[in-house]
Amino acid sequence: MVETTIKESITRAGQEFMKNTLYYGDNLDILREYVADESVDLIYLDPPFNSNRSYNVLFKESNGTSAESQITAFDDSWHWNASAEETLREIEMTAAPHVVEMMDAIVGFVGRNDMTAYLVMMTLRLIELHRVLKDTGSIYLHCDPTASHYLKIVMDTVFGKENFRTEIVWKRTSAHSDAKQGRRQHGRVHDIILFYSKEQFYTWNTVYSDYDDDYIESNYGKIEDTTGRYYKTTDLTAAKPGGETSYEWKGVLPYKGRYWAYSKENMQEFERKGLLYYTSSGMPRLKQYLDEMPGIPLQDLWTDITPAGGNERLGYPTQKPLSLLERIIEASSNPGDVVLDPFCGCGTAVAAAQKLGRKWLGIDITHLSIALMRQRLDDMFGDTCKYEVVGQPADLASAEHLARVDRHQFEWWALSLIKAQPANNQKKGADQGIDGVLYFRDTARGSAKKVVVQVKSGHVQAAYIRDLAHVVDREKAVMGFFITLERPSKPMDVEALGEGYYHSDAWGRDYQKVQIRTIEQLLGEEWFDYPQANVTLAQAERVKDEAQQDRLL
């Protein structure tokens, strides 16, 4: 993986995408600055729904349970304010006339409220997504019924109603049993995925779903004695002749007024392969084996994909299952094509694209999500996955800039350098001296050891080290790490040394109990010193398929 600043990125508008890339920033800005016209083959977006609730990133503790502390990744509550008004004005000044008329009509009908604030934000971004999509490309917009009907109007306007392909219903969960709580409406168990192409001729690969049990039982009820394979039989006659097809086969002729559907040579080949089944009257029928059938061509109701769970679950509340994105990517792109996810969250679309041999671009507005995606890609693919990270600090100057612009984003980014989880989403002064937490093990099967982390972007002093040492003891941690943007003073170093050591029997050595590292040191890969591997975040399952790994390489 290569990290660059925004100005150093080679993936600029007008150039071919030579590398997979994660972008940190507002996707509207990233699209306009970096993504060229008609350069993307497939877009999948799962934007924050307008459901008036905040989604949080949950991290797993070392024992696999959910941590109590959570970090707000994004707030999906949209409000009509000066920013929404400015976005509407930008649409009116720059968009095509039919888009302007559509947006004015929606605002006039629905009013200036939270819903229209959400829709103007989405409209401006969909205009850019239409621009970057190839003529043969497709876009899948994942949404819930709260706003899907409005978004469909926007999509009809931006992409053209003639380019609407499918409204996919994904049953994402089982039935809700909350009637006892006074629910007076149907349980909500599905999401909507709106599928549009840019033009009439678009990339399409037929995808098949498995037959359900009832279909198999009613159609493939026969079992071959010699192989144990399930099969059904089909008619070997036809209504019209196709050559010399009126012959007698083992004393049997086709039904009156019909002909054999195959030549005598083909019938002999079927016989040789054991593919003929004879009824009690001696009439031959052709065997079709269940294990040779591709399945049912995919319909617009998907009930066979369950939510992400088990080892796949990373703790991100809006995480979609990998199989869902694999299905979309296989249907609407080919190996080597470019897949874009402008709201990539924990990176399921990116991971699926990498797994299936596609190029990819992922954009997110929080350093927390970028950190999660980086670890997921590294866990799943290791060194076979090469990518850039654009927009995150790559040197001391850009780190200082981030600290000035957004202290909390700086804190999350700094924690991501050592794969520590943010401790909470409280404001400074209420964090009880903990900005982050990580865990390690002395041995592969040993108990997890806790490390507390503090991050400082301003003036630092020896008192901070004494405070960190108190927090280590209070939290029953074994070590404390102090990350600072500024160089530590000599009294700070002395104070840290005075806190003693953590001894590891397994490794047979001592580790300084309180350690200090500057951002400059961490960027230079001068890491904190502690035993074995970080086990803080939930790990994505490694891709094990050797053929797939060869394709990635």
Side-chain angles (χ1 to χ4, degrees), residues 271-512:
E271 179 78 3
R272 187 184 68 80
K273 291 181 177 180
L275 296 179
L276 293 183
Y277 171 89
Y278 293 92
T279 67
S280 58
S281 65
M283 177 63 68
R285 291 177 64 83
L286 182 65
K287 291 181 182 179
Q288 289 186 343
Y289 294 100
L290 175 62
D291 56 21
E292 292 180 350
M293 304 306 293
I296 302 173
L298 200 59
Q299 308 298 301
D300 60 5
L301 175 62
W302 297 358
T303 62
D304 59 333
I305 297 179
T306 58
N311 292 335
E312 183 183 345
R313 190 70 190 170
L314 301 177
Y316 200 88
T318 61
Q319 179 180 348
K320 301 303 181 292
L322 195 64
S323 55
L324 181 72
L325 273 300
E326 288 177 1
R327 175 173 289 181
I328 290 171
I329 290 171
E330 286 178 332
S332 293
S333 70
N334 296 312
D337 284 351
V338 177
V339 178
L340 165 65
D341 184 348
F343 293 91
C344 54
C346 65
T348 302
V350 164
Q354 177 70 24
K355 183 178 177 182
L356 295 173
R358 275 66 166 172
K359 298 177 183 178
W360 50 262
L361 305 173
I363 309 172
D364 204 272
I365 200 167
T366 70
H367 286 292
L368 198 57
S369 289
I370 298 296
L372 192 60
M373 281 185 281
R374 289 172 58 180
Q375 178 156 335
R376 184 177 192 178
L377 291 169
D378 294 346
D379 287 342
M380 290 182 68
F381 306 102
D383 294 337
T384 65
C385 182
K386 307 296 183 184
Y387 60 95
E388 284 192 340
V389 179
V390 175
Q392 286 197 319
D395 53 35
L396 186 59
S398 54
E400 291 172 341
H401 174 74
L402 177 61
R404 290 193 300 270
V405 171
D406 192 321
R407 188 170 46 142
H408 292 297
Q409 288 286 349
F410 168 79
E411 182 180 294
W412 294 343
W413 166 77
L415 292 169
S416 76
L417 294 176
I418 61 170
K419 295 185 177 180
Q421 71 175 59
N424 50 55
N425 60 351
Q426 299 169 337
K427 294 181 178 180
K428 281 288 188 179
D431 58 15
Q432 298 183 318
I434 305 175
D435 295 320
V437 179
L438 64 79
Y439 296 86
F440 68 85
R441 291 190 179 99
D442 276 347
T443 61
R445 297 184 180 276
S447 60
K449 310 295 184 182
K450 185 178 182 179
V451 180
V452 295
V453 186
Q454 285 188 355
V455 180
K456 299 293 181 184
S457 58
H459 299 295
V460 291
Q461 52 187 302
Y464 289 159
I465 305 303
R466 290 192 293 272
D467 291 341
L468 177 58
H470 290 312
V471 172
V472 170
D473 293 337
R474 186 193 72 210
E475 297 296 319
K476 296 181 173 56
V478 297
M479 303 176 75
F481 294 165
F482 190 88
I483 301 175
T484 173
L485 189 58
E486 297 182 349
R487 291 182 180 275
S489 64
K490 187 172 182 180
M492 291 174 65
D493 290 330
V494 171
E495 193 71 43
L497 283 170
E499 294 300 331
Y501 296 86
Y502 163 74
H503 179 74
S504 169
D505 292 330
W507 292 80
R509 56 164 290 195
D510 292 331
Y511 298 85
Q512 192 172 322

